[in-house]
Amino acid sequence: MRKGTVILVAIILASCNTDSSSQAGIDSTAVKSTIADGHNSRNSIDFAGTYTGVLPCADCEGIETKITLNQEGTYAKKSTHLGKGNDNSFEEKGNYTWDANGQQITLEGQDKPNQYFVGENTLTQLDMEGQKIEGDLAAMYV
């Protein structure tokens, strides 16, 4: 009789849990807090500042690049083609916009590639379709 009661109580308690994410082994509290908090690069990191690096170049030693992002949505970019002599620097200024996810920016008025992933203390240039560059040279685009 006691064994049947224990089984009946276990069945009743199990049927009270109707959350499908719990049944699948997913921590629903963690999922809900991640969705609800809305953290992204735009609102969670101190992205405003100056980023510098040397990007790969097909016909020069590299493109020394300096991008300054301002909090109010403006940028200044200076690119210098290394190993090409004098007058190989280009300066551009304008506005940037965030993607819907708040992770990437687009430098308005620029030819592609003009999109960057914004990370903690880094900008990563994206490819022509706005995707992260992969392969042996991927680290050189950060």
Side-chain angles (χ1 to χ4, degrees):
M1 176 76 171
R2 284 176 69 68
K3 186 175 181 180
T5 305
V6 171
I7 292 174
L8 180 61
V9 171
I11 291 172
I12 291 171
L13 289 176
S15 67
C16 289
N17 185 4
T18 60
D19 184 1
S20 62
S21 63
S22 295
Q23 294 171 359
I26 299 170
D27 182 358
S28 62
T29 305
V31 170
K32 288 175 187 170
S33 68
T34 301
I35 293 169
D37 70 11
H39 285 230
N40 58 38
S41 295
R42 184 176 188 179
N43 64 26
S44 298
I45 63 174
D46 186 17
F47 65 85
T50 301
Y51 301 84
T52 59
V54 179
L55 299 172
C57 178
D59 63 349
C60 66
E61 296 172 15
I63 304 170
E64 185 175 67
T65 305
K66 179 179 174 180
I67 299 175
T68 300
L69 298 179
N70 299 306
Q71 192 73 36
E72 72 275 358
T74 61
Y75 75 89
K77 178 180 177 184
K78 181 177 181 181
S79 303
T80 303
H81 291 242
L82 303 174
K84 291 292 230 172
N86 297 334
D87 297 327
N88 283 307
S89 292
F90 306 94
E91 293 187 38
E92 301 149 278
K93 294 181 179 184
N95 297 316
Y96 64 87
T97 56
W98 287 92
D99 72 339
N101 295 324
Q103 297 293 107
Q104 300 176 9
I105 60 167
T106 300
L107 304 182
E108 300 297 326
Q110 290 249 323
D111 291 333
K112 289 186 177 189
N114 63 343
Q115 295 176 301
Y116 295 84
F117 176 83
V118 181
E120 187 70 43
N121 298 316
T122 64
L123 278 184
T124 302
Q125 184 177 334
L126 303 174
D127 68 13
M128 301 295 254
E129 287 79 37
Q131 302 297 314
K132 284 194 175 182
I133 296 170
E134 298 180 1
D136 295 339
L137 299 178
M140 298 183 76
Y141 289 92
V142 178

